Amino acid sequence: MTKPNYIKIAKQVAKIEILELKKINKLLNSSFIKAVDLIGNCKGKIICAGVGKSGIIARKISATLSSVGISSFFLNPSEANHGDLGQIDKRDTLLVFSYSGNTSEILNMLKYANRFNIKIIGMSSKVDSLLLKASDIKILLPKVKEADPNNLVPTSSTSLQLLFGDCLAICLMNKMKFTKEKFKIYHPGGNIGQTLLLVKDIMIRERNKIPLINFNSNIVTAVKTISKKDLGIGIIIKNKFVIGIVTDGDIRRGTKNYSKKTKITVLMSKKPLYIGENTSAAKALSIMNEKKITSLIVSSDSDYKKHKVFFKPKGILHIHSLLKYGIK
């Protein structure tokens, strides 16, 4: 028996779906604009619903909307018929996906929404479907060729629905002026969240936790401050400006040659390394690894960009904070 050429088959599948996805342009019309505006101005939640494969697409699109700050959840129409319709509020908007638009599971949901004047954005391939008849905004899916040999398995059709949802989400991001800062709020964990973390997000900023040492202090006072703050370093301050830094190692080595009453400025290192508060945490870690240090003083972006010799400290970034947030 001849073994099928799986690479050839896969390439044919990809070719069909890519070709069919070009039909997305037929959906990017006045109804699409109305859908963006309706969702963008919604005072409640965006409830995505669908049955079968369309339900899986609806769930994914709901997750995407949530990830960009739009309150959304997926509602299974079958479960909605058994008590979950109460989750739908008058301020909400329904985003319903159904290729045929006539599945029995969505009928009660549509009747409920129409009864209470809840806005519906419906997506179906049949212009005379019950879904589109009940919808305020009608998204008519073009007929597509599925990628399987019998033109039966939902492949191209579900890919097109997913692409539509992505177009919707990205347009809404633009409407809301969604930034990396906002994205970070909704993605505190994971690789994306870690990549977007800035120094100011994880630095120690509380004044009572930063080891600030007056330049007139002696070694004994400096040791007490460094021990109390437990970061292994002290920041030497004169008139609120950083003039140097001293580590517990500097003090251990220095006490062999100086008395305890010696001014700490004798042991400090001038022109310490520092970093701007809006620098990425990943870059800060890179600097620490390169210089083989465990802490960085944090300055304002303005001082950092101007490479000021003397600057006011905004905080301190310790290696433990980076590890805590998974920055590696």
Side-chain angles (χ1 to χ4, degrees), residues 33-88:
I33 295 171
K34 290 177 182 177
V36 173
D37 288 336
L38 181 59
I39 294 175
N41 296 323
C42 179
K43 302 300 181 183
K45 304 173 292 296
I46 306 302
I47 301 173
C48 298
V51 179
K53 303 296 188 297
S54 292
I56 295 171
I57 298 301
R59 189 186 294 274
K60 189 275 177 187
I61 292 171
S62 176
T64 301
L65 294 175
S66 295
S67 74
V68 297
I70 297 170
S71 182
S72 176
F73 68 86
F74 169 75
L75 182 59
N76 187 317
S78 299
E79 294 175 359
N81 290 332
H82 296 280
D84 286 354
L85 285 174
Q87 296 182 68
I88 307 174

Side-chain angles (χ1 to χ4, degrees), residues 5 19 22 31 38 49 53 56 68 82-83 89 103-104 112 142 151 155 158 161 197 217 247-248 262 284 293 302 305:
N5 187 331
L19 186 63
K22 292 181 179 180
S31 293
L38 181 59
K53 303 296 188 297
I56 295 171
V68 297
H82 296 280
D89 186 81
T103 53
S104 58
Y112 179 88
N151 194 29
T155 46
T158 49
Q161 291 177 31
L197 279 174
S217 299
T247 68
D248 49 8
T262 301
I293 56 177
S302 176
K305 290 174 181 177

Side-chain angles (χ1 to χ4, degrees), residues 10-154:
K11 286 183 176 181
Q12 180 63 17
V13 171
K15 181 180 179 181
I16 292 171
E17 290 208 34
I18 290 170
L19 186 63
E20 296 303 303
L21 282 176
K22 292 181 179 180
K23 294 179 180 178
I24 187 67
N25 293 322
K26 296 181 179 179
L27 301 179
L28 306 181
N29 49 31
S30 59
S31 293
F32 176 79
I33 295 171
K34 290 177 182 177
V36 173
D37 288 336
L38 181 59
I39 294 175
N41 296 323
C42 179
K43 302 300 181 183
K45 304 173 292 296
I46 306 302
I47 301 173
C48 298
V51 179
K53 303 296 188 297
S54 292
I56 295 171
I57 298 301
R59 189 186 294 274
K60 189 275 177 187
I61 292 171
S62 176
T64 301
L65 294 175
S66 295
S67 74
V68 297
I70 297 170
S71 182
S72 176
F73 68 86
F74 169 75
L75 182 59
N76 187 317
S78 299
E79 294 175 359
N81 290 332
H82 296 280
D84 286 354
L85 285 174
Q87 296 182 68
I88 307 174
D89 186 81
K90 291 182 179 180
R91 298 172 301 170
D92 298 337
T93 295
L94 280 176
L95 181 54
V96 184
F97 297 82
S98 174
Y99 197 67
S100 71
N102 291 316
T103 53
S104 58
E105 293 92 339
I106 67 172
L107 295 184
N108 287 335
M109 178 185 287
L110 298 176
K111 289 178 182 178
Y112 179 88
N114 285 163
R115 178 184 176 188
F116 293 101
N117 197 30
I118 296 165
K119 299 297 182 183
I120 303 173
I121 301 171
M123 174 178 280
S124 170
S125 64
K126 295 183 178 179
V127 68
D128 60 346
S129 65
L130 294 172
L131 173 55
L132 292 193
K133 286 179 179 179
S135 297
D136 299 278
I137 297 175
K138 311 174 196 302
I139 308 296
L140 181 61
L141 287 167
K143 297 293 183 181
V144 296
K145 179 182 179 181
E146 304 292 8
D148 72 293
N150 300 310
N151 194 29
L152 293 173
V153 179

